[in-house]
Amino acid sequence: MSILIKGGTIVTADQTFRGDVYCQDGVIKAIGVNLETPAKTEVIDAGGQYVMPGGIDPHTHMELPFMGTVASEDFFSGTTAGAAGGTTMIIDFVIPSPKESILDAYQKWRGWAEKAATDYSFHVAVTWWDDSVHKDMGTLVKEYGVNSFKHFMAYKGAIMCDDEVLVKSFTRARELGAIATVHAENGELVAHLQKQIFEQGITGPEGHPLSRPPSVEGEAAERAIRIAQVLDVPLYIVHNSVKESLNAIGRARAEGQRVFGEVLAGHLLVNDSVYRHPDFEYAAAHVMSPPFRDAENQKALWKGLQCGTLHTTATDHCCFCAPQKAAGKDDFRKIPNGTGGIEDRMGVLWHHGVNPGKLTMNEFVAVTSANAAKIFNIYPKKGSISVGADADIVVWDAQKTRTISAKTHHQKVDFNIFEGMEVKGANTVTISQGKVVYKNGELRTIKGAGRYINRPPFASYYDALKLKREVEKPTAVKRTGKKAA
Ligand code: URP
Ligand code: ZN
Ligand code: ZN
C-alpha cells in the first residue's frame, strides 16, 4: 500500500519547502521534487496546500471512569474525531483508583484502547504509594514503553497525591529515566473553598471557578517545580491556565531547570464568563479543571506559547453529555469535570494562531505535534516529515473555512465549547500509518487500526545526570571529639 502526496509545500517544525512525499508500508520512504509515481500508488494532489505532521494530542481521556460516570467518547470515536480534524496520535492517561495495582490498571486501559483508529500511548498516573507501585513503575518503563508518570495534585478524596507520594514517585521516575507530569491545583484549598462557597449558597456552576482561583493553580505549579528541582527530575505541567503558573515555569527555566508547559486550546479561546450563563446546561458543559479564565490570563497564555514558556497544545478531551453533567444540578461540586476538543484543536490553533500572525506555520507544527513528540521521546518517528518517520500526515488547506458545531462534529458528545466559531484553515486529507483516514469530509477510519506506541526512557540524559550527581555527592564531616577553642 503506497501513497504519493504531490505538489504540496511541506511544513515541519523547522523548515518550509516544496516537495512530494512518498509513503509505503506506513512510513515515509522518500521526499523530493517531482517524485515518480510507482505502480499501484494512490496519488493525493496537495497543490496549493501544506503538508504537515499529523497532530499529536498529548492529553486526552477517552472512556475515563471519573466522578461517578464514564466519559462518553471511546477510543474509536475519539481517535476518529481526531482524524477528522488532523490529529493522528493521542497520549491518553491510565488512572488507577487508589490501591488498584498500576500494572492492572495499565492492562485495563490497553484493552479499552484496542479499538483506537489511530496510534496512541499512555501516561500512567500514580495515585497512591506502596512498594508494588515502586516496582510496577519499573516494569512499565522497562517492559511497556511508558516514560511519563502523572500526578493529580487536586481531586481530594479521589485521585489526589499528597507531597509524600509526589516525592516518592518523582524520585522513582528520576531513577527510571521517566518524566514526571502534574495536574497543578492545590486540592486541599479547592476542597476548602468549594465547601465555603457552597455554604454561602452558591450551588451553581459559577461556584466552580470561584473555588479554583489562580493562586490555587500557581501554588501547586510552584510546589511541583520545587520538588522536581530538589529531586532533579524533568517536569511537564499539564493544562496551565494562569499567569502564576507561567511565571513559575519561566522562572524555573531561566534558572536552568527542565520544566515543560502545556496549554489547552480551550483555555486559549474560551473565557470564564461561560460559568455565569443563566442556562445550567450551558454553564455546566464548560465545567473543567482548571476552569476557563479571564481575558488577561488568556492573553498571557498566548504570549507563553509565543515565547516558548509553553511547549505543547492539548485538549484534555474528556467528554460528558448533558445528562451526566446534570449530576451536579444542585451542587457544582458534583458536575463531572471535563470538556471536549480533539476534533477542533488544529483548526482553532491555525485560525487564532497562524492567521493573525501569533504563530508561524513552523511554530504551529511545533506546538501541535513536534514538541510533544520530542518531550515524550518519540521524535522523529512522530512529529516530523522525514524519511523513516511514520506516515502520519495532514494535507492542510489554508483557505478552507468551516463553522464548528456540535450538530456536525464527529465527537461523541452533545456540546462543543467552540460552537459557532468560524475558522479558516483545515485539513482536507488525514493520513495515519500511510493510509487515508479522512478525505474531504469522508471518514475512512478502521476500528482497531491504531497501534500502541512505546516511548523509551531518557537514558542518555539520565546517565549524564547520574555522573554529575556522583561528583556532587555530599561528604560527612569527620569530628575528632575535641572542643572548639
Ligand atoms: O476537568 C478535567 N480536566 N477533567 C479531566 C481530568 C483532568 O483533570 O485532567
Ligand atoms: Zn487535569
Ligand atoms: Zn486531563
Side-chain angles (χ1 to χ4, degrees), residues 396-412:
W396 193 267
D397 180 353
Q399 303 308 318
K400 182 176 164 184
T401 57
R402 65 188 188 99
T403 304
I404 298 171
S405 175
K407 292 193 187 83
T408 49
H409 72 198
H410 302 87
Q411 300 171 139
K412 213 202 264 180

PDB file of all heavy atoms in Angstrom, residues 396-412:
ATOM      1  N   TRP A 396      -3.152  20.298   4.360  1.00  0.00           N
ATOM      2  CA  TRP A 396      -3.856  21.421   5.002  1.00  0.00           C
ATOM      3  C   TRP A 396      -4.146  22.528   4.008  1.00  0.00           C
ATOM      4  O   TRP A 396      -3.241  23.039   3.364  1.00  0.00           O
ATOM      5  CB  TRP A 396      -2.951  21.945   6.129  1.00  0.00           C
ATOM      6  CG  TRP A 396      -3.636  22.877   7.079  1.00  0.00           C
ATOM      7  CD1 TRP A 396      -3.670  24.235   7.008  1.00  0.00           C
ATOM      8  CD2 TRP A 396      -4.372  22.513   8.252  1.00  0.00           C
ATOM      9  NE1 TRP A 396      -4.381  24.747   8.067  1.00  0.00           N
ATOM     10  CE2 TRP A 396      -4.825  23.714   8.848  1.00  0.00           C
ATOM     11  CE3 TRP A 396      -4.703  21.296   8.852  1.00  0.00           C
ATOM     12  CZ2 TRP A 396      -5.580  23.729  10.027  1.00  0.00           C
ATOM     13  CZ3 TRP A 396      -5.453  21.310  10.023  1.00  0.00           C
ATOM     14  CH2 TRP A 396      -5.878  22.512  10.597  1.00  0.00           C
ATOM     15  N   ASP A 397      -5.417  22.868   3.908  1.00  0.00           N
ATOM     16  CA  ASP A 397      -5.821  23.949   3.005  1.00  0.00           C
ATOM     17  C   ASP A 397      -6.048  25.210   3.842  1.00  0.00           C
ATOM     18  O   ASP A 397      -7.024  25.296   4.603  1.00  0.00           O
ATOM     19  CB  ASP A 397      -7.119  23.523   2.283  1.00  0.00           C
ATOM     20  CG  ASP A 397      -7.621  24.591   1.327  1.00  0.00           C
ATOM     21  OD1 ASP A 397      -7.051  25.703   1.304  1.00  0.00           O
ATOM     22  OD2 ASP A 397      -8.603  24.302   0.611  1.00  0.00           O
ATOM     23  N   ALA A 398      -5.149  26.167   3.678  1.00  0.00           N
ATOM     24  CA  ALA A 398      -5.217  27.391   4.496  1.00  0.00           C
ATOM     25  C   ALA A 398      -6.406  28.266   4.124  1.00  0.00           C
ATOM     26  O   ALA A 398      -6.753  29.199   4.855  1.00  0.00           O
ATOM     27  CB  ALA A 398      -3.919  28.179   4.352  1.00  0.00           C
ATOM     28  N   GLN A 399      -7.064  27.972   2.975  1.00  0.00           N
ATOM     29  CA  GLN A 399      -8.207  28.798   2.536  1.00  0.00           C
ATOM     30  C   GLN A 399      -9.560  28.183   2.907  1.00  0.00           C
ATOM     31  O   GLN A 399     -10.591  28.842   2.805  1.00  0.00           O
ATOM     32  CB  GLN A 399      -8.167  28.987   0.995  1.00  0.00           C
ATOM     33  CG  GLN A 399      -6.881  29.610   0.463  1.00  0.00           C
ATOM     34  CD  GLN A 399      -6.533  30.906   1.179  1.00  0.00           C
ATOM     35  OE1 GLN A 399      -7.410  31.741   1.442  1.00  0.00           O
ATOM     36  NE2 GLN A 399      -5.264  31.079   1.523  1.00  0.00           N
ATOM     37  N   LYS A 400      -9.536  26.929   3.310  1.00  0.00           N
ATOM     38  CA  LYS A 400     -10.804  26.237   3.593  1.00  0.00           C
ATOM     39  C   LYS A 400     -11.439  26.809   4.868  1.00  0.00           C
ATOM     40  O   LYS A 400     -10.760  26.957   5.884  1.00  0.00           O
ATOM     41  CB  LYS A 400     -10.519  24.736   3.765  1.00  0.00           C
ATOM     42  CG  LYS A 400     -11.747  23.875   4.024  1.00  0.00           C
ATOM     43  CD  LYS A 400     -11.360  22.396   4.076  1.00  0.00           C
ATOM     44  CE  LYS A 400     -12.454  21.548   4.702  1.00  0.00           C
ATOM     45  NZ  LYS A 400     -12.062  20.146   4.835  1.00  0.00           N
ATOM     46  N   THR A 401     -12.723  27.102   4.814  1.00  0.00           N
ATOM     47  CA  THR A 401     -13.388  27.624   6.016  1.00  0.00           C
ATOM     48  C   THR A 401     -14.463  26.641   6.486  1.00  0.00           C
ATOM     49  O   THR A 401     -15.012  25.871   5.692  1.00  0.00           O
ATOM     50  CB  THR A 401     -14.069  28.992   5.743  1.00  0.00           C
ATOM     51  OG1 THR A 401     -14.977  28.805   4.674  1.00  0.00           O
ATOM     52  CG2 THR A 401     -13.067  30.073   5.423  1.00  0.00           C
ATOM     53  N   ARG A 402     -14.727  26.680   7.752  1.00  0.00           N
ATOM     54  CA  ARG A 402     -15.821  25.860   8.280  1.00  0.00           C
ATOM     55  C   ARG A 402     -16.318  26.499   9.570  1.00  0.00           C
ATOM     56  O   ARG A 402     -15.602  27.304  10.202  1.00  0.00           O
ATOM     57  CB  ARG A 402     -15.380  24.408   8.526  1.00  0.00           C
ATOM     58  CG  ARG A 402     -14.351  24.265   9.592  1.00  0.00           C
ATOM     59  CD  ARG A 402     -13.798  22.846   9.679  1.00  0.00           C
ATOM     60  NE  ARG A 402     -12.940  22.768  10.873  1.00  0.00           N
ATOM     61  CZ  ARG A 402     -13.332  22.277  12.033  1.00  0.00           C
ATOM     62  NH1 ARG A 402     -14.550  21.786  12.174  1.00  0.00           N
ATOM     63  NH2 ARG A 402     -12.511  22.267  13.069  1.00  0.00           N
ATOM     64  N   THR A 403     -17.521  26.122   9.958  1.00  0.00           N
ATOM     65  CA  THR A 403     -18.082  26.621  11.214  1.00  0.00           C
ATOM     66  C   THR A 403     -18.233  25.441  12.159  1.00  0.00           C
ATOM     67  O   THR A 403     -18.841  24.429  11.816  1.00  0.00           O
ATOM     68  CB  THR A 403     -19.458  27.296  10.959  1.00  0.00           C
ATOM     69  OG1 THR A 403     -19.270  28.328   9.990  1.00  0.00           O
ATOM     70  CG2 THR A 403     -20.010  27.898  12.246  1.00  0.00           C
ATOM     71  N   ILE A 404     -17.644  25.595  13.331  1.00  0.00           N
ATOM     72  CA  ILE A 404     -17.647  24.484  14.293  1.00  0.00           C
ATOM     73  C   ILE A 404     -19.017  24.363  14.960  1.00  0.00           C
ATOM     74  O   ILE A 404     -19.602  25.362  15.383  1.00  0.00           O
ATOM     75  CB  ILE A 404     -16.545  24.722  15.361  1.00  0.00           C
ATOM     76  CG1 ILE A 404     -15.161  24.741  14.688  1.00  0.00           C
ATOM     77  CG2 ILE A 404     -16.625  23.676  16.466  1.00  0.00           C
ATOM     78  CD1 ILE A 404     -14.027  25.167  15.596  1.00  0.00           C
ATOM     79  N   SER A 405     -19.499  23.131  15.057  1.00  0.00           N
ATOM     80  CA  SER A 405     -20.787  22.929  15.732  1.00  0.00           C
ATOM     81  C   SER A 405     -20.933  21.486  16.218  1.00  0.00           C
ATOM     82  O   SER A 405     -20.476  20.549  15.559  1.00  0.00           O
ATOM     83  CB  SER A 405     -21.943  23.242  14.769  1.00  0.00           C
ATOM     84  OG  SER A 405     -23.167  22.940  15.402  1.00  0.00           O
ATOM     85  N   ALA A 406     -21.607  21.352  17.348  1.00  0.00           N
ATOM     86  CA  ALA A 406     -21.916  20.011  17.872  1.00  0.00           C
ATOM     87  C   ALA A 406     -22.838  19.266  16.904  1.00  0.00           C
ATOM     88  O   ALA A 406     -22.901  18.036  16.923  1.00  0.00           O
ATOM     89  CB  ALA A 406     -22.568  20.126  19.244  1.00  0.00           C
ATOM     90  N   LYS A 407     -23.569  20.047  16.074  1.00  0.00           N
ATOM     91  CA  LYS A 407     -24.504  19.404  15.127  1.00  0.00           C
ATOM     92  C   LYS A 407     -23.746  18.661  14.031  1.00  0.00           C
ATOM     93  O   LYS A 407     -24.267  17.725  13.429  1.00  0.00           O
ATOM     94  CB  LYS A 407     -25.410  20.462  14.491  1.00  0.00           C
ATOM     95  CG  LYS A 407     -26.370  21.090  15.479  1.00  0.00           C
ATOM     96  CD  LYS A 407     -27.464  21.889  14.750  1.00  0.00           C
ATOM     97  CE  LYS A 407     -28.319  22.654  15.741  1.00  0.00           C
ATOM     98  NZ  LYS A 407     -27.723  23.946  16.141  1.00  0.00           N
ATOM     99  N   THR A 408     -22.539  19.099  13.742  1.00  0.00           N
ATOM    100  CA  THR A 408     -21.804  18.495  12.625  1.00  0.00           C
ATOM    101  C   THR A 408     -20.506  17.795  13.048  1.00  0.00           C
ATOM    102  O   THR A 408     -19.878  17.128  12.236  1.00  0.00           O
ATOM    103  CB  THR A 408     -21.457  19.572  11.574  1.00  0.00           C
ATOM    104  OG1 THR A 408     -20.873  20.687  12.262  1.00  0.00           O
ATOM    105  CG2 THR A 408     -22.679  20.025  10.817  1.00  0.00           C
ATOM    106  N   HIS A 409     -20.093  17.981  14.305  1.00  0.00           N
ATOM    107  CA  HIS A 409     -18.812  17.370  14.679  1.00  0.00           C
ATOM    108  C   HIS A 409     -18.941  15.843  14.814  1.00  0.00           C
ATOM    109  O   HIS A 409     -20.053  15.305  14.836  1.00  0.00           O
ATOM    110  CB  HIS A 409     -18.203  18.033  15.938  1.00  0.00           C
ATOM    111  CG  HIS A 409     -18.882  17.729  17.248  1.00  0.00           C
ATOM    112  ND1 HIS A 409     -18.698  18.508  18.382  1.00  0.00           N
ATOM    113  CD2 HIS A 409     -19.715  16.726  17.654  1.00  0.00           C
ATOM    114  CE1 HIS A 409     -19.367  17.997  19.392  1.00  0.00           C
ATOM    115  NE2 HIS A 409     -19.997  16.922  18.969  1.00  0.00           N
ATOM    116  N   HIS A 410     -17.790  15.179  14.880  1.00  0.00           N
ATOM    117  CA  HIS A 410     -17.787  13.711  14.972  1.00  0.00           C
ATOM    118  C   HIS A 410     -17.550  13.244  16.401  1.00  0.00           C
ATOM    119  O   HIS A 410     -17.525  12.048  16.668  1.00  0.00           O
ATOM    120  CB  HIS A 410     -16.705  13.142  14.053  1.00  0.00           C
ATOM    121  CG  HIS A 410     -16.902  13.547  12.629  1.00  0.00           C
ATOM    122  ND1 HIS A 410     -16.409  14.721  12.110  1.00  0.00           N
ATOM    123  CD2 HIS A 410     -17.594  12.949  11.618  1.00  0.00           C
ATOM    124  CE1 HIS A 410     -16.758  14.829  10.840  1.00  0.00           C
ATOM    125  NE2 HIS A 410     -17.479  13.770  10.511  1.00  0.00           N
ATOM    126  N   GLN A 411     -17.336  14.187  17.311  1.00  0.00           N
ATOM    127  CA  GLN A 411     -17.085  13.836  18.710  1.00  0.00           C
ATOM    128  C   GLN A 411     -18.367  13.284  19.333  1.00  0.00           C
ATOM    129  O   GLN A 411     -19.462  13.796  19.057  1.00  0.00           O
ATOM    130  CB  GLN A 411     -16.607  15.076  19.475  1.00  0.00           C
ATOM    131  CG  GLN A 411     -15.326  15.649  18.890  1.00  0.00           C
ATOM    132  CD  GLN A 411     -14.935  17.001  19.464  1.00  0.00           C
ATOM    133  OE1 GLN A 411     -13.773  17.245  19.712  1.00  0.00           O
ATOM    134  NE2 GLN A 411     -15.892  17.875  19.680  1.00  0.00           N
ATOM    135  N   LYS A 412     -18.208  12.258  20.187  1.00  0.00           N
ATOM    136  CA  LYS A 412     -19.392  11.643  20.800  1.00  0.00           C
ATOM    137  C   LYS A 412     -19.767  12.423  22.061  1.00  0.00           C
ATOM    138  O   LYS A 412     -19.559  11.957  23.192  1.00  0.00           O
ATOM    139  CB  LYS A 412     -19.066  10.178  21.132  1.00  0.00           C
ATOM    140  CG  LYS A 412     -20.288   9.265  21.004  1.00  0.00           C
ATOM    141  CD  LYS A 412     -20.105   8.012  21.800  1.00  0.00           C
ATOM    142  CE  LYS A 412     -19.604   6.846  21.023  1.00  0.00           C
ATOM    143  NZ  LYS A 412     -19.461   5.656  21.900  1.00  0.00           N
TER     144      LYS A 412
END
